Amino acid sequence: MDRDGNCTTEAIRSTLTSPFMMSNHCFILLVILVSFFATNLALQKLYGRNIFPNSTRILLCSAIANGVIHQLTVAEIRLRTIFRALAYGSDACAIQFHSSECIIEQNIYYYTNFFTSLCCISLYFDRLFSTNSKHFQQNYKFFVVLFLVFQSIIPIFLLHLVYYNVTYTGYVSMCNYPPPSIGSKFYIFNRFRFCVLGLFFILSFLTFILNRKQEKRMIHRVYDTISRYKSYENLLATKAVCIIIIVQIICLATTAIATEQIRMHTDIFPETIVDPLTGFMMGLTYSNFFLPIIICYQSNQISKRRRRNIGKMKNQKEGFLDHFTTLDFLWNRKKNFD
């Protein structure tokens, strides 16, 4: 007899203790472990080198901090699930978690999930406002505070919206699964969220194209090396941020869509492989894995291009100086003859 009259099926019980499911846990934990090493390197890049503008760097640090919290939460959920499977693997009535046992993990898990989506939006507006660089640089602290408040407070409102009047009944295989009572509402909300992220995916790409065209026009119209250097730096930062936004959106959207499709089409996917398959669909875990890697790679690329660009502008400036020195010499020589 189970605790509440609800035992899972024998197929699900054997699935949760299967080598496939255990290898799934080990894989996710390995991804998280590697992401921590990459995060350490990314923070060194952000603080040790003047690569990104101050506002962008602060927002990226907030994304990294949020990623660390999320990865720790996922690691705790996975370790707890492994312990549950080992301790209660033979008991079909105790192996799953009651929804009320997962309240803390779920709130942290989905708060950090929403935070990531809103951080992508903040990064987009940060790069968009940077096109008016003079005004934005003078007031960047105000905008950074505004962005941080936006991406920190709105997730609380979204959690309230999703979990409003929720009843923590039913059982889940892992604590990152939403309670069964809000399953349909959660999927509808996710669809809307990814439509918004898809819009910003397009806008980010268009912003990069706009900055690229602006930088190319400046080459032919502006001869001040400082202005041209700042424009080129802004273009490189925008490109790096666009790549980060696109990768984050791809990881989040593809795994969310795949998870929903697997759970909806139980006629195609047998009950015994649903949990192991959806266990691999950890979009934010993967995006938090790629985030520090992208930051490190883009930092190295920006450093190389910065040195190359400075060299070109230096040679160009020296060419201008030689040209004007020659003109001055010829002009003075002509005056002497006259």
Side-chain angles (χ1 to χ4, degrees), residues 157-217:
F157 169 75
L158 296 178
L159 278 174
H160 175 74
L161 188 65
V162 174
Y163 282 85
Y164 179 70
N165 285 339
V166 63
T167 55
Y168 288 95
T169 58
Y171 291 82
V172 291
S173 300
M174 287 190 290
C175 282
N176 59 301
Y177 295 160
S181 58
I182 64 167
S184 58
K185 182 168 70 171
F186 188 82
Y187 288 134
I188 293 172
F189 181 83
N190 248 358
R191 291 192 194 104
F192 174 76
R193 181 163 69 111
F194 291 118
C195 288
V196 174
L197 288 176
L199 174 63
F200 280 93
F201 177 100
I202 297 171
L203 291 176
S204 299
F205 184 71
L206 293 177
T207 300
F208 171 70
I209 294 176
L210 176 65
N211 285 8
R212 188 179 181 87
K213 289 183 178 180
Q214 182 179 347
E215 200 273 337
K216 286 184 176 180
R217 286 197 301 266

Side-chain angles (χ1 to χ4, degrees), residues 70-332:
H70 183 84
Q71 301 292 63
L72 288 173
T73 304
V74 174
E76 190 271 342
I77 290 173
R78 292 296 179 139
L79 291 172
R80 192 178 173 192
T81 305
I82 293 173
F83 173 79
R84 192 74 165 233
L86 295 176
Y88 304 104
S90 59
D91 187 352
C93 301
I95 192 171
Q96 287 191 307
F97 295 91
H98 193 273
S99 296
S100 60
E101 299 179 75
C102 303
I103 295 176
I104 296 176
E105 289 96 335
Q106 277 191 18
N107 278 276
I108 298 175
Y109 181 87
Y110 288 111
Y111 176 90
T112 52
N113 206 304
F114 296 149
F115 186 100
T116 297
S117 300
L118 294 168
C119 189
C120 288
I121 296 175
S122 295
L123 284 167
Y124 165 73
F125 281 111
D126 169 72
R127 291 291 83 214
L128 179 66
F129 293 162
S130 69
T131 54
N132 185 9
S133 57
K134 185 176 181 180
H135 176 74
F136 183 70
Q137 288 174 6
Q138 291 173 349
N139 302 278
Y140 82 90
K141 291 182 180 178
F142 167 77
F143 286 105
V144 167
V145 172
L146 186 64
F147 291 147
L148 291 176
V149 171
F150 164 75
Q151 63 195 37
S152 301
I153 299 299
I154 298 300
I156 299 176
F157 169 75
L158 296 178
L159 278 174
H160 175 74
L161 188 65
V162 174
Y163 282 85
Y164 179 70
N165 285 339
V166 63
T167 55
Y168 288 95
T169 58
Y171 291 82
V172 291
S173 300
M174 287 190 290
C175 282
N176 59 301
Y177 295 160
S181 58
I182 64 167
S184 58
K185 182 168 70 171
F186 188 82
Y187 288 134
I188 293 172
F189 181 83
N190 248 358
R191 291 192 194 104
F192 174 76
R193 181 163 69 111
F194 291 118
C195 288
V196 174
L197 288 176
L199 174 63
F200 280 93
F201 177 100
I202 297 171
L203 291 176
S204 299
F205 184 71
L206 293 177
T207 300
F208 171 70
I209 294 176
L210 176 65
N211 285 8
R212 188 179 181 87
K213 289 183 178 180
Q214 182 179 347
E215 200 273 337
K216 286 184 176 180
R217 286 197 301 266
M218 182 170 283
I219 293 176
H220 301 287
R221 296 178 182 179
V222 179
Y223 298 98
D224 175 47
T225 55
I226 296 177
S227 298
R228 288 178 58 178
Y229 176 76
K230 288 182 178 179
S231 174
Y232 188 70
E233 287 285 282
N234 183 59
L235 176 66
L236 294 179
T238 302
K239 179 182 178 181
V241 168
C242 285
I243 293 173
I244 290 172
I245 293 174
I246 290 170
V247 170
Q248 296 260 329
I249 292 174
I250 290 174
C251 289
L252 291 172
T254 53
T255 55
I257 294 171
T259 299
E260 182 178 351
Q261 293 302 312
I262 290 172
R263 293 201 171 277
M264 287 178 61
H265 295 87
T266 53
D267 55 327
I268 301 176
F269 300 98
E271 187 181 30
T272 54
I273 68 169
V274 168
D275 281 312
L277 283 179
T278 56
F280 281 105
M281 307 301 168
M282 304 292 291
L284 192 53
T285 300
Y286 298 135
S287 68
N288 288 328
F289 169 78
F290 286 117
L291 176 62
I293 294 175
I294 294 171
I295 290 175
C296 291
Y297 177 77
Q298 288 298 315
S299 296
N300 292 333
Q301 291 299 307
I302 290 175
S303 294
K304 291 178 182 179
R305 291 171 183 172
R306 172 184 284 176
R307 288 193 294 269
R308 190 185 312 135
N309 195 50
I310 289 175
K312 287 181 180 179
M313 288 190 293
K314 183 179 178 182
N315 293 334
Q316 186 182 50
K317 187 175 181 180
E318 290 175 352
F320 279 134
L321 291 175
D322 292 341
H323 176 66
F324 285 116
T325 300
T326 302
L327 290 177
D328 287 339
F329 173 76
L330 294 175
W331 176 258
N332 292 329

